[in-house]
Amino acid sequence: EQQSTPKRVGLSALISKFSTREEVLRSNEAWVKPVDLDLYCNHESETALHVAVRSRHHAIASHLLAAGALPNLHTQGLGGQGEANAAWGKGHTCLVEAAKNRDMGMIDLLLKYGARDDQNQSLVVASQASDHLVMSKLLALKAHQDQEAGVNKNAIAEMHLGKSIKSRSSVSNLTYSSMCPSTPVMINWHQTGSLTQLKDQWLVDAAVRLNPKLRLSPKYQPMALHAITRLDISNNEIVSLPASVTTMQSLKFLSVAGNKLEALPETPYSCPWLEELHLQDNRLDSLPADRKSTRLNSS
């Protein structure tokens, strides 16, 4: 009795067979999202992330963000936050909730996942609470690399490293690279709605954000001030300037217009690259006697 030989199926036919079945399955499939992370709850006023941030539930907020929850959605309607929404019109973001709680850990988590403070809402909240640490964190977000300028490395090296080190090129390059800033920084704090003063640490933190290697050397972080090439703090309510503004070695543009300055710093001025200075619309009656002959283009 002859045994029947199993029928062989070609590889191409097998692939075709499975492909056909897959196509049938695809035609009958519909993607279902079992959980809408950004669904508005509490009378359609806020998302789960808003609630987690306000309640300081770091673990829940972290899981929501990791799963794709959007950090920049605004609250809707009153939702129990009437005063804030009445003032800001379109509600507020999770970053505002974290600033209200003065929760730096939550702020860092939100920033990690792309949270922004485009309307300065969080900055205003931090300013009203005189929370300078949170203010510095938020202000640093408004610092960016200046693509049209460079850092005055020679002046920085001579000022901080000394001529003896600077004269030895091999040692100087290594030392400068590890201790001094190299990325030019432009800061735009125009019309923030919250600045009544200007602190050195805010400027340092903003510049260090673009020169992160300096984070490893707290002693040398003040050098980051000399990486600032453009500083716009116009249209605020600043009443005085720190002395550091007068010694920034890479500063080319400075606008303090539209503030409440009654006097300029009396410290010696050393901004060798300064080209443009805006002082209009302040409360200045005169300039310091030894500044009137300073060579710069002021308006």
Side-chain angles (χ1 to χ4, degrees):
E1 199 175 302
Q2 187 177 1
Q3 293 181 347
S4 58
T5 304
K7 186 178 179 180
R8 295 183 178 180
V9 180
L11 180 60
S12 60
L14 188 62
I15 294 175
S16 175
K17 187 176 182 180
F18 277 110
S19 298
T20 303
R21 288 185 178 181
E22 186 178 0
E23 289 176 2
V24 172
L25 288 174
R26 283 180 177 175
S27 66
N28 295 327
E29 283 179 350
W31 286 102
V32 177
K33 189 175 182 181
V35 178
D36 185 353
L37 297 175
D38 301 316
L39 182 69
Y40 278 79
C41 54
N42 293 342
H43 305 289
E44 299 184 357
S45 64
E46 57 189 356
T47 67
L49 185 59
H50 283 105
V51 177
V53 172
R54 185 173 64 250
S55 302
R56 302 175 185 266
H57 292 314
H58 288 236
I60 295 176
S62 179
H63 285 301
L64 287 170
L65 290 164
L70 300 177
N72 293 308
L73 295 178
H74 288 73
T75 55
Q76 304 292 334
L78 295 179
Q81 305 292 330
E83 292 183 4
N85 286 335
W88 292 325
K90 59 180 299 187
H92 57 268
T93 64
C94 294
L95 200 56
V96 173
E97 296 287 5
K100 288 180 179 179
N101 288 340
R102 307 178 77 171
D103 190 340
M104 186 60 77
M106 190 69 79
I107 290 174
D108 287 336
L109 178 63
L110 291 168
L111 294 179
K112 176 183 176 182
Y113 285 93
R116 303 186 306 273
D117 190 30
D118 296 335
Q119 298 178 328
N120 296 317
Q121 294 180 349
S122 306
L123 184 60
V124 170
V125 169
S127 176
Q128 291 173 345
S130 297
D131 193 333
H132 295 159
L133 186 62
V134 173
M135 288 182 69
S136 189
K137 174 77 69 173
L138 297 173
L139 285 169
L141 300 177
K142 303 179 186 302
H144 305 280
Q145 181 175 352
D146 190 344
Q147 301 290 348
E148 300 179 356
V151 174
N152 191 351
K153 293 183 178 180
N154 289 335
I156 297 174
E158 185 171 349
M159 176 183 292
H160 294 286
L161 303 182
K163 294 182 179 180
S164 59
I165 295 179
K166 183 174 178 289
S167 63
R168 293 176 289 173
S169 59
S170 60
V171 178
S172 175
N173 290 336
L174 178 61
T175 306
Y176 186 96
S177 176
S178 61
M179 297 167 55
C180 300
S182 56
T183 301
V185 179
M186 55 188 298
I187 296 176
N188 182 10
W189 295 342
H190 166 78
Q191 200 170 356
T192 64
S194 59
L195 291 187
T196 58
Q197 57 182 317
L198 185 65
K199 287 186 169 292
D200 284 337
Q201 192 60 49
W202 298 346
L203 296 168
V204 170
D205 290 345
V208 168
R209 179 172 172 266
L210 276 298
N211 291 273
K213 63 185 177 183
L214 292 179
R215 292 175 183 167
L216 302 177
S217 304
K219 177 182 178 181
Y220 298 108
Q221 286 184 8
M223 289 188 186
L225 289 170
H226 301 294
I228 299 174
T229 56
R230 295 178 61 89
L231 176 59
D232 187 349
I233 53 174
S234 59
N235 292 78
N236 286 289
E237 297 185 358
I238 298 172
V239 297
S240 64
L241 296 177
S244 61
V245 174
T246 69
T247 60
M248 294 181 180
Q249 297 300 297
S250 302
L251 189 64
K252 288 191 172 184
F253 173 91
L254 173 62
S255 178
V256 296
N259 281 283
K260 297 182 178 180
L261 298 175
E262 296 183 353
L264 296 178
E266 295 288 343
T267 53
Y269 280 51
S270 175
C271 296
W273 282 9
L274 188 61
E275 298 175 351
E276 192 171 346
L277 173 63
H278 295 261
L279 296 172
Q280 70 272 19
D281 298 325
N282 276 283
R283 299 174 179 176
L284 297 170
D285 294 327
S286 62
L287 295 177
D290 59 341
R291 313 294 180 248
K292 294 178 181 179
S293 59
T294 303
R295 296 181 60 186
L296 47 82
N297 299 322
S298 60
S299 58

